[in-house]
Amino acid sequence: KSKVNLIILESIKYMSSGQNIRVEGAEVPITFSIIPRSIFNIFMSQIYLNNNNIEKQIKTSIRMICRLQSKVVGFLPEMVDQYFPFLLNAIANSNYVESFRIPELPNTDVYSCLSKYLKSNKYEYSSIIHLQISKQGMKSFNTFCESLSKEKSVKNRISGLTFTNSELNQDQLKTLSEAIINSKWNNGYEINSIKFENAISDDVNFVDSFFPNLASIASANSPLKLFSLNRMKIGDVNQLISLLKGVRVLSLSYMGIDISSIFEAISNTGMEELMFLNVSGNFLNETVSNVKKLPSSLQRLDVNEVDFLVKNPKSEKGNMLIDFFISVLNKKWNSLFYL
């Protein structure tokens, strides 16, 4: 019976439609109802083939998450640590998962596993386009970066990366930046989306590290079209935004920045391709009269949880929140609103 299980579980990845399979010759006939390319079944086949054991409670939890058939999949560290290579292989064989969220796994060389995945040609039908990576051991980080560019399989569809709660240093940011630029030339899917969420060491200057030659995304011929920083220290806003020309989606959220300085920097840079801007979680502490016009290409502006420091309505400068929206309307940024 165990051999029959292995044969059927291994065959799942090659099936294109659900089927019921009846196994004859056993004392009690067995019928398998199979969902094609099921993450959980592929995962369990790897467990059996490698003679691994898995606790019943963990097995049940993984099954429950896998059967949600969500486009975004993530697991708790205690659920996946020693099983990460098997889960990665299973998820990579799915045809519906688009984003894989990888928690901190101190006992697993995550970047080594990801490097092998990125180089492999056997995942041509994988639907994964985005990886969210929490803090990991950095032993194989350079190998991972090489796998994003010159060694990346042309069949691999990964085009977006998010680094969360990490401690990337200056050299690692430089290596990552170079890998992203070089991903444009490997004849496959380039890395066009990058997000950092509380992802660098305290002593690192992000701008100098990620833009080592102070070359803008446009002048460096970088493929990046989405650029996002969340809860990061960047220093000079003007310098950062001057390097982002060519970006279509920009998010600078929860950065402790006056949003008027963001608007002014964008105006001065001439980001003519910018379509979406997120400045949520920041503040407005000055009058908006000096805010220049945002690009006419802009279609959406998110200002969730922005601290509009409302002044006394009777004061000469008036109400900051009202002033802001009057300024928006006076500038005729009509594409931002659907009234």
Side-chain angles (χ1 to χ4, degrees), residues 100-210:
F100 184 18
R101 297 180 175 179
I102 305 170
E104 181 178 353
L105 302 175
N107 300 317
T108 302
D109 192 343
V110 169
Y111 285 117
S112 176
C113 295
L114 290 177
S115 178
K116 294 175 183 176
Y117 158 66
L118 290 166
K119 295 176 184 178
S120 176
N121 289 319
K122 69 178 183 178
Y123 299 113
E124 59 182 309
Y125 299 112
S126 175
S127 55
I128 302 178
I129 59 176
H130 172 256
L131 296 172
Q132 177 175 305
I133 309 171
S134 294
K135 181 180 179 181
Q136 308 294 342
M138 304 304 287
K139 176 182 177 181
S140 301
F141 184 77
N142 286 354
T143 303
F144 166 75
C145 289
E146 291 176 359
S147 304
L148 291 174
S149 52
K150 59 184 179 181
E151 296 184 8
K152 184 168 179 272
S153 168
V154 296
K155 298 179 180 180
N156 192 291
R157 302 187 182 188
I158 294 296
S159 57
L161 298 171
T162 299
F163 295 91
T164 66
N165 300 320
S166 302
E167 294 181 355
L168 299 177
N169 62 33
Q170 182 173 337
D171 291 337
Q172 290 159 354
L173 283 172
K174 288 181 179 179
T175 302
L176 176 62
S177 177
E178 292 173 0
I180 291 173
I181 293 175
N182 291 331
S183 74
K184 188 178 180 70
W185 311 110
N186 77 336
N187 298 318
Y189 291 84
E190 59 195 25
I191 305 299
N192 56 36
S193 167
I194 188 73
K195 300 180 181 180
F196 297 96
E197 300 178 3
N198 188 33
I200 62 173
S201 301
D202 293 336
D203 59 344
V204 171
N205 184 309
F206 177 82
V207 174
D208 290 345
S209 302
F210 196 74

Side-chain angles (χ1 to χ4, degrees), residues 248 273-277 294-302 333-338:
R248 295 176 184 173
E273 298 181 47
L274 187 65
M275 300 177 67
F276 174 85
L277 175 61
L294 291 172
S296 59
S297 58
L298 193 63
Q299 298 180 18
R300 175 170 169 174
L301 172 65
D302 277 12
W333 300 334
N334 295 328
S335 59
L336 299 181
F337 301 95
Y338 300 93

